[in-house]
Amino acid sequence: MASTTKRKRRRRRKAKNSWQWLISAVAALLLAACGFVIQNYGGRYGIPTWSDLYGVFGIAADGPDAALLADSETTVTVLDVGQGDAVLVGQDGNYCLIDTGTAESQDTLIRALRQAGIQNLQYLVLTHPHADHTGGALAVLENFPVSEVLLPVWRPTENGATDWPDDLWVQAAAGGTTVSETQAGDRYTLGDGVLEVLLGGNADTEDDDPNNASLCLLFEAGNFRYLATGDAEKQTEKTLVDRYGSGLQANLYKAGHHGSSTSSSAELLAVVRPQAAVISCGVDNDYGHPHAETLQRLADVGAAIYRTDTMGTITFTYENGVLSATAAGQTLDAAA
């Protein structure tokens, strides 16, 4: 009798587990289907957008304005990912994400990209193997179709391991994403714009410091030019100036290494002559970024200064020769 009772209990538990598995599987499919519908049809046919849902559930969403991005030909959005970098470049409805912040900020990053209305990325660029630039890369690949991942040429050195995510190539392959190593002179089309690799990778810079081996990038669309140097410091900046000189001139410049005093040298700024400079850094970060010396050098060349630690996510648009900056739906004045 006892043996029969045990068998009946095992059968009931097995049946219960089967039903629980089935319910979980159906729920997962329904959630995936809802996510697909919101991502692709939100804002139409009475279907809410991600921003609508975040508001309903009281979730803070410091992301870019999807309508602003959709209505603008040329945009550069510096996403607030704390003490890290993540910049969304848009041209004619095509998008490139440069760096992905930290692993701790990956949920914020994905939420911001969804709020921006991003459905796919033409390029995901990782400027150098440090965790505050690569931490959200796997999450991006898991949540969005990406045509191509661009990396600097990085050869193993005696100084130890780097911070490329362990499963980057596996995750890319699973999504049908090409992974390419870039070198100086490579040019990548984004809508009517071009993303050019100016410098990067330790095979080019012969520097074992990942910061100085950062990809240095110039995005150009018509008369708009955006220069970003990753975490490159004065040594690499000098190489850039020696190689390109006044060809580095840009309307918008992202301050190197989160506004560190070891970057954004006077020599570099003298040829870049940016109309505006943006600094991506965390609130009250342990590094003291941005440093006072850097802020002064930017002010000395007449650059309007914008900061994610005080302004949050910032979107720059370029229309009819005018560079504008907005955050949280408001036009920004430059920080002092």
Side-chain angles (χ1 to χ4, degrees):
M1 178 67 70
S3 177
T4 301
T5 301
K6 289 180 180 178
R7 285 197 296 271
K8 288 181 178 178
R9 288 175 179 171
R10 283 198 295 269
R11 285 196 294 269
R12 284 197 295 269
R13 283 197 298 270
K14 185 175 181 181
K16 182 180 179 180
N17 290 338
S18 297
W19 277 107
Q20 288 176 337
W21 178 89
L22 180 60
I23 291 170
S24 297
V26 171
L29 288 172
L30 288 174
L31 285 172
C34 288
F36 176 84
V37 171
I38 294 168
Q39 185 70 24
N40 290 278
Y41 301 102
R44 292 179 285 172
Y45 317 117
I47 299 169
T49 64
W50 287 110
S51 295
D52 295 332
L53 291 178
Y54 296 148
V56 168
F57 291 104
I59 299 174
D62 177 27
D65 183 339
L68 176 63
L69 268 62
D71 293 341
S72 304
E73 290 182 358
T74 305
T75 62
V76 174
T77 301
V78 183
L79 299 164
D80 182 9
V81 290
Q83 186 61 22
D85 264 12
V87 178
L88 182 69
V89 178
Q91 183 65 38
D92 306 312
N94 302 282
Y95 293 96
C96 166
L97 180 65
I98 304 174
D99 288 330
T100 61
T102 65
E104 292 75 19
S105 66
Q106 65 180 11
D107 290 343
T108 299
L109 173 63
I110 298 305
R111 190 161 59 240
L113 292 174
R114 285 176 173 162
Q115 185 183 2
I118 301 303
Q119 297 184 19
N120 56 74
L121 294 167
Q122 189 166 342
Y123 306 110
L124 169 60
V125 183
L126 301 179
T127 60
H128 65 290
H130 272 166
D132 57 332
H133 292 252
T134 67
L138 295 184
V140 170
L141 290 169
E142 288 168 1
N143 284 274
F144 299 94
V146 177
S147 297
E148 189 170 7
V149 173
L150 305 179
L151 304 174
V153 176
W154 182 262
R155 298 295 177 246
T157 70
E158 296 179 359
N159 292 340
T162 60
D163 288 316
W164 293 131
D166 289 338
D167 294 329
L168 178 65
W169 284 263
V170 173
Q171 186 64 48
T177 301
T178 301
V179 179
S180 302
E181 288 187 330
T182 69
Q183 58 185 350
D186 287 348
R187 294 164 62 87
Y188 298 89
T189 300
L190 186 72
D192 286 336
V194 174
L195 182 71
E196 181 179 359
V197 177
L198 302 179
L199 196 67
N202 61 355
D204 190 4
T205 62
E206 298 182 355
D207 196 316
D208 290 345
D209 179 359
N211 285 343
N212 273 327
S214 293
L215 284 179
C216 298
L217 305 165
L218 179 68
F219 176 72
E220 187 171 9
N223 292 323
F224 175 74
R225 291 162 65 87
Y226 165 63
L227 178 68
T229 58
D231 280 357
E233 300 183 348
K234 293 178 182 178
Q235 176 181 333
T236 297
E237 290 179 352
K238 185 180 187 310
T239 301
L240 279 173
V241 172
D242 290 344
R243 189 174 295 189
Y244 297 99
S246 61
L248 296 172
Q249 190 280 321
N251 314 77
L252 177 63
Y253 165 66
K254 188 181 71 63
H257 203 181
H258 317 288
S260 168
S261 61
T262 59
S263 301
S264 301
S265 63
E267 184 179 11
L268 177 68
L269 294 177
V271 294
V272 177
R273 296 180 289 111
Q275 176 184 345
V278 59
I279 301 169
S280 180
C281 61
V283 176
D284 296 327
N285 62 84
D286 294 337
Y287 305 95
H289 296 156
H291 290 153
E293 306 96 303
T294 300
L295 295 174
Q296 187 60 56
R297 288 196 294 266
L298 291 169
D300 287 345
V301 295
I305 301 170
Y306 301 85
R307 301 167 47 168
T308 60
D309 61 332
T310 59
M311 298 174 172
T313 290
I314 306 166
T315 294
F316 296 89
T317 59
Y318 189 77
E319 300 287 346
N320 300 318
V322 177
L323 180 66
S324 304
T326 63
Q330 301 296 318
T331 300
L332 295 176
D333 292 325

